[in-house]
Amino acid sequence: MMEWLVFSCLLLGVFLQPSNTQNVVPDTALNCCEGDILLLLDSSGSVSSYEFSRLLHFLSELLLPFSLGRGQVRAGLLQVGTEPQLEFDLDAHSTQPGLQGALQRTRQLQGDTNTEAALRLAQGLLARAGAGDELELPKVLVWLTDGVQPGMVDGPMAELRREGVSLLAVSTGHGNYQVLQRVVTPPIESHLYFVDIDDISIITEDLREAIIELIRVECLRVVQVSSHSAMLQWRPVLRSNTDFDIFFRYSSVLPGGGEGQPNGGASSGGQYHRRTLSGDASWVELRGLQPDTIYTASLTPNSQSNHDYLNTLSVTFTTLPEVLSPAVVTVADSGPDRVRVSWGPLQTERVQQYQIEYGALPSGQVHTIRLHGHQNSTLLTGLEPDTQYLVTVSALYSTGKEKAMSVKACTQGVLPALAELQLTPVGRDAVQVRWRGYDEGLRGYWLNWERGETQSPSRPASSSLYLPPGSLSTLLTHLAPSSRVCVSPVYRMARGEGLCCTARTQTDAVAVSLLLHTPSLSPTTRKLVARIEGEKEREKEREHRRERERENEWVGGRSDEYSR
C-alpha cells in the first residue's frame, strides 16, 4: 500500500533523482536533438600540426553519437587561416561514416589567424541554413582556438548572438580570457573551456552535454484524438539494439476538476497507468479513454544514465465528447420512386447493425430494412411519386444501447412527357418542327438534331437548342440526311420524357407543294417558301433564255452556209 501511495504522488509532477555517477553516452547515435552545429577551427600557423591533429580527433569524438541530416543534427567545419576555408557545409554529411571520413581528410591551412573574416563567413552560412525552414531551429557555433591573437571578434560575435546563434569556445592556450569570456553565450561555466591539448578529451562529455542542452528536442505531441482514444507522437530517443525503455504514464482529470481513471471508475489517489516501450518507439495509441475528459501523459526515461540527455516530457489533452451514430442522416438521389439515405459517423467496432424504417406521411405503411454495422447508406425503392416519407435510422450497439435519428424525404413527381411531335420537310436539308406539351411547371423545351455540314459525313455533328415554354415550333436547316430530331420538355427539377422523329427531306417541288397546302404555316415560313419558289422560277427563266440564245446562234450559222 505504501509503495502504491508513493507512486501515486507522482501525479503532481515528475522529479528525477540526481545521480553522482558520470554520464554515459549511449553507444548508438543520439536521436534527441535537432539543430545546426558549425565548428570554427583555428588552422593557422600558430597551431602546431600535433595540436591540429588532436583537435580533429576531439571533434570526431564530440560529434560521434549524434544522428545527422535534416530533421536531426547538421554539422559543418570552417577553418580559420589567412583566408577562411569551408571544409564542408552543414548539408554535406547525413551519416557518421561520411562525417568521420571528412574530418580525417582535413588538412591544416597554416597562415595568419584571420578569425574576423571567418566569423563573417560563418554568419552568412548560418543565415542561409535557416532560410525556408518552417520552424526556427537552434544554431550553435563552437570555436576551437589556441588563444593567440584572436583579432577583432567582439563585433561579429555580438551579431551572431543577436541572430540567435549560441557561441561556445574551447581554448588550448591560456591567454585572452577576457575576450573569450565576452563573446561566449552564458552560462560561461558550461560554454567556455580552457584546457591543455593533451587533456582535451576530458571535456568531451561536458561540451557535448552543453550542445545537447541547446539543441535538444523536447516535444510530446497529440496528433489524433477521439472520444475514446488518443495518438501521441514524439522524436525517437535512440535507434535500436539497446535496452533503453520508456515509462509512459497517464491519468485522467475530469472537466469538473476531480480525478478519474481511464476505465471510468473514480480514483481518489489519481491512479497512473504505465506502458513500457522500446527506445526506438516514436508513437503510442492510448485506448479505452473516457469521452470529454482531460488527460495528462508523461514520457519518462527508464534508465538513470540517460536522464541528462532525456528530460521527462508531458502533454495534456482533452478527449472529444462522445458522438454516437447516427449523428447525421442525409437524403440524396431523389427520383419519382426512390431516394438514397446515408448516415454517419461509421462506427464498425461498436455498432452491430442498423435498422431503417420508412413510411409515407401521414399514416402510410412502415417498411423495415436491417443492415450490417459496416454500411452507412442504402437505396429505398418502390416509393410513390411526389410523396413525403419519414425515414428513421436506428443503430444497435454491442453494449445494448440504441440511438435513432429521423428525417423527412420527398420523392419527385412524375414529369409529363411531350404530347406530340411533327416534322414537315422544307427543301432538301430543312424541316419545320412542331410539338405540343403540358404547361404545368414547364420551364422550356430542349431540342437536339444532327447537322449536315461536317468534316466527317459518317459522324454528323450534333446541335442543341433551348426554347422558352411559349415556343411550339421552329425551323431547322442544314440537317444531315435522315437526321434524328428530339424535343424534350424541361421542368424545374429535371427533363421530362421527350419524343424523337427522323427527318425525311424531299425534293423541292414536293416540299413546296406540301407547304403551300399547309393551313397552319407561319408567316415567316410562307415568306421563306415564296422566296425559294421565286428563286427557282427565275432560275428556270434564265435557263430558257440561254437555250434560246444557243438556238439562235446555231440557226444563224446554218444560214451563212446556205448563202455561200
Side-chain angles (χ1 to χ4, degrees):
M1 182 65 179
M2 181 61 67
E3 180 182 358
W4 173 250
L5 290 175
V6 172
F7 188 72
S8 300
C9 289
L10 294 176
L11 175 66
L12 299 178
V14 178
F15 299 95
L16 302 180
Q17 297 294 328
S19 174
N20 295 324
T21 60
Q22 189 177 12
N23 296 326
V24 179
V25 177
D27 55 3
T28 53
L30 284 174
N31 197 26
C32 61
C33 304
E34 182 176 6
D36 297 333
I37 303 174
L38 183 60
L39 307 170
L40 189 66
L41 176 60
D42 191 345
S43 185
S44 66
S46 63
V47 179
S48 69
S49 58
Y50 170 75
E51 289 178 318
F52 189 77
S53 64
R54 292 285 296 169
L55 288 172
L56 289 177
H57 180 75
F58 170 73
L59 292 177
S60 175
E61 294 294 324
L62 179 70
L63 299 176
L64 182 61
F66 290 106
S67 298
L68 302 178
R70 284 196 173 272
Q72 307 285 345
V73 173
R74 299 190 301 178
L77 177 60
L78 178 60
Q79 294 199 74
V80 178
T82 304
E83 294 293 335
Q85 177 175 307
L86 181 63
E87 193 66 27
F88 52 84
D89 203 352
L90 294 168
D91 285 317
H93 302 291
S94 58
T95 64
Q96 278 292 339
L99 175 65
Q100 297 298 324
L103 289 172
Q104 293 174 8
R105 293 189 297 271
T106 301
R107 297 293 178 261
Q108 188 174 0
L109 299 179
Q110 300 293 340
D112 297 332
T113 308
N114 191 354
T115 309
E116 184 178 358
L119 288 173
R120 297 296 183 189
L121 180 57
Q123 186 177 6
L125 290 173
L126 292 172
R128 289 194 300 272
D133 292 339
E134 294 183 5
L135 299 176
E136 184 68 24
L137 298 178
K139 297 177 178 59
V140 177
L141 180 95
V142 181
W143 180 23
L144 297 99
T145 177
D146 61 357
V148 178
Q149 297 180 349
M152 305 296 292
V153 298
D154 291 77
M157 289 289 192
E159 292 181 15
L160 285 168
R161 288 197 305 271
R162 283 194 295 270
E163 292 171 2
V165 179
S166 299
L167 304 177
L168 289 74
V170 176
S171 177
T172 58
H174 299 284
N176 293 300
Y177 173 79
Q178 292 182 346
V179 174
L180 296 175
Q181 184 183 29
R182 288 197 305 269
V183 299
V184 298
T185 304
I188 296 175
E189 55 271 17
S190 59
H191 290 179
L192 176 59
Y193 300 87
F194 284 87
V195 62
D196 290 334
I197 191 64
D198 290 324
D199 299 324
I200 195 170
S201 61
I202 66 175
I203 68 168
T204 303
E205 292 177 1
D206 291 336
L207 180 58
R208 184 190 299 119
E209 181 181 346
I211 294 173
I212 289 174
E213 197 64 32
L214 293 171
I215 63 175
R216 186 201 315 270
V217 176
E218 297 184 350
C219 182
L220 177 62
R221 298 184 302 147
V222 181
V223 295
Q224 186 176 345
V225 64
S226 66
S227 55
H228 293 276
S229 65
M231 181 81 73
L232 305 180
Q233 190 178 69
W234 63 94
R235 177 182 294 279
V237 178
L238 297 177
R239 290 285 173 86
S240 56
N241 303 323
T242 176
D243 295 331
F244 186 84
D245 288 332
I246 298 173
F247 282 116
F248 202 95
R249 304 185 179 101
Y250 57 96
S251 61
S252 61
V253 182
L254 301 179
E259 295 172 352
Q261 302 179 20
N263 59 14
S267 174
S268 59
Q271 181 178 357
Y272 276 99
H273 296 257
R274 189 178 71 181
R275 294 274 300 274
T276 302
L277 305 172
S278 63
D280 59 353
S282 61
W283 64 274
V284 67
E285 184 177 11
L286 310 180
R287 296 188 177 184
L289 308 181
Q290 290 295 302
D292 198 21
T293 304
I294 301 173
Y295 284 86
T296 298
S298 298
L299 189 67
T300 305
N302 187 26
S303 174
Q304 183 68 36
S305 63
N306 288 282
H307 282 167
D308 290 325
Y309 298 101
L310 306 166
N311 293 336
T312 295
L313 306 180
S314 298
V315 66
T316 299
F317 61 92
T318 303
T319 51
L320 300 178
E322 187 166 27
V323 177
L324 296 179
S325 181
V328 59
V329 178
T330 59
V331 177
D333 300 335
S334 176
D337 62 346
R338 65 190 59 201
V339 293
R340 177 169 292 278
V341 181
S342 304
W343 56 89
L346 198 59
Q347 297 174 330
T348 55
E349 296 181 357
R350 305 174 63 193
V351 177
Q352 288 184 336
Q353 70 173 14
Y354 289 100
Q355 178 175 286
I356 293 84
E357 298 173 293
Y358 61 97
L361 294 174
S363 57
Q365 181 182 357
V366 178
H367 303 271
T368 302
I369 299 176
R370 289 180 175 84
L371 301 173
H372 194 271
H374 68 267
Q375 292 183 252
N376 64 347
S377 71
T378 187
L379 184 64
L380 306 181
T381 59
L383 308 181
E384 294 294 327
D386 197 19
T387 303
Q388 189 177 56
Y389 283 81
L390 180 66
V391 182
T392 301
V393 180
S394 302
L396 176 61
Y397 284 78
S398 55
T399 59
K401 183 183 296 185
E402 290 188 26
K403 184 186 178 184
M405 177 174 282
S406 298
V407 295
K408 291 180 181 180
C410 295
T411 55
Q412 294 182 11
V414 177
L415 301 177
L418 195 69
E420 184 179 354
L421 176 63
Q422 294 180 352
L423 303 183
T424 303
V426 181
R428 296 183 181 274
D429 59 357
V431 293
Q432 182 75 27
V433 186
R434 294 184 183 84
W435 60 87
R436 183 167 58 86
Y438 296 92
D439 294 336
E440 184 177 357
L442 185 66
R443 295 297 179 91
Y445 295 96
W446 192 262
L447 281 72
N448 295 89
W449 70 95
E450 295 172 349
R451 296 198 311 271
E453 331 75 9
T454 173
Q455 296 179 353
S456 177
S458 61
R459 299 183 61 185
S462 178
S463 294
S464 59
L465 176 66
Y466 176 79
L467 294 173
S471 300
L472 297 177
S473 68
T474 189
L475 179 66
L476 302 182
T477 59
H478 306 295
L479 271 67
S482 301
S483 174
R484 193 75 169 163
V485 180
C486 299
V487 181
S488 302
V490 179
Y491 299 94
R492 184 177 64 86
M493 298 296 295
R495 289 191 200 179
E497 185 177 355
L499 294 176
C500 295
C501 290
T502 301
R504 306 287 186 183
T505 57
Q506 301 180 13
T507 63
D508 294 344
V510 175
V512 172
S513 177
L514 289 173
L515 288 173
L516 290 176
H517 292 84
T518 303
S520 58
L521 200 64
S522 66
T524 303
T525 305
R526 287 184 181 277
K527 290 181 181 179
L528 177 61
V529 173
R531 187 174 64 188
I532 293 174
E533 187 177 12
E535 182 62 30
K536 292 182 182 296
E537 291 296 331
R538 286 189 292 271
E539 180 63 28
K540 288 180 181 179
E541 292 178 359
R542 285 193 294 268
E543 183 64 28
H544 290 323
R545 188 181 305 112
R546 284 193 293 268
E547 289 180 0
R548 286 195 299 268
E549 290 175 355
R550 284 194 295 270
E551 290 177 357
N552 292 335
E553 290 176 357
W554 184 82
V555 172
R558 296 291 294 177
S559 299
D560 292 340
E561 290 180 2
Y562 290 143
S563 63
R564 287 195 297 268

